[in-house]
Amino acid sequence: MKLFSRLPGAGRGERAGRQRPLLDTRVFDNVLASGSVTDRQALACQLAAFVRGREAKDPERRLVTPYLHRLLQDKDMRVRQACAEGLTEDAHLDADSVFLITADAEAIALPFLRRAKALDAARQVAIFKVGDEKRREALAQRAAVSDRLMTLIAREGELPVVLALLDNGRVRIDGDNLKRIYARFRDVPAVTERLLARKDLPAEIRIVHVRTATERVRTAILKGELPASVAIRKAVEDTEERALADILISLARDKERVRAAMRFMAGRGLLTAAVILRAAVRGHVTVLLAALGILAGVSSRQLERIAKKGSKRALRALYKKSDLPEAALPLVEAVFDVAQKHGDAEAGVSEATFGREVLSWIMAADNDLSVAEKARLAEILAQLADEETRPLAARLGKGLLKAA
């Protein structure tokens, strides 16, 4: 069936440079009036292909558009579906056509919403505001989700819609919207698991999540839902400190991000000596120096000079300004010395190797530490070091206590 033909004189206007859209539309009327489902499907496909790529103001597009509207309202779903599928790639599709498709059955509307090129930021937002959950979810699955729509989903989207956005690996979700999602769904494991698996998750969210999780356990202990034993309280404390140290370690190679995370922690009383030392004795000296700098109010440049010179005097002055416990200074000096001689974790030294070297430094005869002091530091190392070093430090610490 020949669907497209032009009337005699098509393209010749009265004035030069003007053309008249002289498509012979009688065949369209005939198909719509008496054509079979197959005929109407063919018309839908050909009209959709005809308008694709034509500008919105194109005269022939304007002439064909009313027929598209009629096809999009055809009584047979197969015709409507063929038309909608054909218009998915049309970037200049008119608003009425978009509305007709969006309001149709889910089998037609949802694939269109996921892929349609005609959905700019304004249309995405408009559909989100009036659409049901399924249509919102389809919008969240698009390859291109506008910034405005992403913010709306983060602020107002139902759980399935938010999950669809988090599962959409083709879009980048900015940090502010990740924070909004966490604030709304922090108690939903399906959301928090997806958030924590993201490499681009802001460190602030990880820190808050650790604190929230441990506070829940503490609350349960206070309410009598968990035994109030010293062992459980210590386990909760250790878990929190270890998790916070791990967050800082994960940022160790990015000076700006690690300092930002530390400032966030310091403002909430979480940048403690235990957290800092857990990272330090595992060989992450950059974390140690950055933390001392934050607590002492020292710039990054000054820290770099201290690290390069390896001056114990400068390290002690920095440590004193940080207001960290004086009793932990020898352990910090041990970490600093080992890093100067053997390198640190960022230089490729394993945490276990670094931990053993720190333990050796403590046990050395030439470090002017008393036996009791060595035993105390070994005991601290047994609590804070890597898994391989901890049992060895515990055994040596007990041996020294007996000797003392």
Side-chain angles (χ1 to χ4, degrees):
M1 182 192 301
K2 186 177 181 183
L3 297 178
F4 288 90
S5 61
R6 297 182 184 276
L7 295 170
R12 295 195 299 273
E14 294 178 357
R15 296 181 183 177
R18 293 182 62 185
Q19 292 186 333
R20 290 178 295 159
L22 294 177
L23 281 176
D24 186 352
T25 59
R26 289 173 296 184
V27 66
F28 306 161
D29 292 313
N30 291 336
V31 171
L32 288 170
S34 58
S36 67
V37 170
T38 302
D39 291 337
R40 299 199 305 278
Q41 282 180 291
L43 177 61
C45 292
Q46 291 192 42
L47 286 182
F50 179 75
V51 299
R52 193 181 307 138
R54 292 175 181 265
E55 296 293 329
K57 295 181 179 180
D58 184 279
E60 291 183 325
R61 172 187 276 275
R62 290 182 174 181
L63 186 67
V64 166
T65 295
Y67 293 97
L68 288 171
H69 292 169
R70 290 169 67 182
L71 288 162
L72 289 171
Q73 299 174 82
D74 195 279
K75 62 184 179 181
D76 194 291
M77 181 175 177
R78 290 170 292 179
V79 176
R80 304 197 307 275
Q81 191 159 26
C83 194
E85 289 174 356
L87 294 171
T88 299
E89 297 296 319
D90 185 2
H92 302 291
L93 192 60
D94 63 288
D96 287 339
S97 293
V98 171
F99 171 79
L100 288 170
I101 299 172
T102 301
D104 209 330
E106 289 182 359
I108 294 173
L110 301 188
F112 177 82
L113 291 173
R114 293 186 189 105
R115 296 174 43 238
K117 289 186 176 180
L119 300 190
D120 58 14
R123 286 178 174 176
Q124 289 179 25
V125 169
I127 294 168
F128 179 90
K129 288 183 176 179
V130 300
D132 60 11
E133 184 181 297
K134 287 291 185 182
R135 283 162 177 75
R136 290 181 167 192
E137 188 175 348
L139 288 171
Q141 294 168 335
R142 291 177 58 81
V145 176
S146 70
D147 292 342
R148 289 168 60 192
L149 174 60
M150 194 173 296
T151 299
L152 268 176
I153 293 173
R155 285 176 171 167
E156 304 174 18
E158 300 88 339
L159 176 59
V161 180
V162 170
L163 291 177
L165 181 65
L166 292 174
D167 290 339
N168 188 349
R170 297 175 295 177
V171 298
R172 179 188 174 275
I173 308 174
D174 64 276
D176 287 342
N177 280 321
L178 290 172
K179 290 175 184 177
R180 291 183 181 108
I181 290 170
Y182 180 79
R184 292 180 61 208
F185 296 102
R186 67 174 66 191
D187 296 325
V188 181
V191 173
T192 55
E193 288 168 8
R194 284 169 169 80
L195 287 173
L196 294 172
R198 299 181 68 95
K199 292 182 180 180
D200 60 349
L201 186 70
E204 295 92 333
I205 296 179
R206 297 187 188 278
I207 293 164
V208 169
H209 186 70
V210 168
R211 186 63 167 176
T212 300
T214 52
E215 281 301 304
R216 283 181 186 147
V217 179
R218 292 186 178 104
T219 300
I221 292 172
L222 289 174
K223 290 181 177 179
E225 297 169 1
L226 288 173
S229 68
V230 174
I232 290 179
R233 292 180 186 276
K234 184 67 169 65
V236 173
E237 185 177 315
D238 287 347
T239 299
E240 180 177 279
E241 292 171 358
R242 187 163 53 248
L244 292 174
D246 286 342
I247 292 171
L248 296 179
I249 288 169
S250 72
L251 302 173
R253 295 183 184 277
D254 189 328
K255 293 179 181 178
E256 290 304 315
R257 288 186 68 197
V258 76
R259 286 178 68 86
M262 287 177 177
R263 284 191 287 269
F264 183 82
M265 290 172 62
R268 288 155 180 78
L270 298 175
L271 192 60
T272 62
V275 171
I276 297 167
L277 290 174
R278 281 182 184 276
V281 299
R282 288 162 59 186
H284 299 278
V285 182
T286 54
V287 173
L288 168 64
L289 288 173
L292 292 176
I294 291 292
L295 295 175
V298 174
S299 69
S300 298
R301 288 186 179 180
Q302 289 176 287
L303 291 175
E304 287 175 4
R305 285 198 294 269
I306 293 171
K308 285 180 181 179
K309 290 181 180 179
S311 167
K312 277 192 177 182
R313 183 177 178 182
L315 176 67
R316 287 168 183 159
L318 177 65
Y319 190 88
K320 186 175 181 179
K321 288 181 69 176
S322 74
D323 285 331
L324 289 175
E326 185 71 23
L329 177 58
L331 190 57
V332 170
E333 290 180 333
V335 167
F336 203 62
D337 275 0
V338 170
Q340 291 289 319
K341 293 176 183 176
H342 304 286
D344 62 6
E346 276 63 57
V349 178
S350 72
E351 292 185 352
T353 298
F354 194 91
R356 287 195 299 271
E357 290 296 337
V358 171
L359 184 58
S360 297
W361 186 97
I362 292 171
M363 295 300 162
D366 59 352
N367 58 20
D368 298 326
L369 295 174
S370 66
V371 173
E373 186 75 359
K374 291 176 187 287
R376 186 181 63 80
L377 293 176
E379 186 179 354
I380 294 174
L381 202 60
Q383 297 173 32
L384 307 181
D386 62 282
E387 291 184 5
E388 290 186 29
T389 304
R390 284 202 300 268
L392 178 59
R395 287 196 301 272
L396 290 173
K398 288 178 181 178
L400 288 171
L401 286 173
K402 289 179 180 178

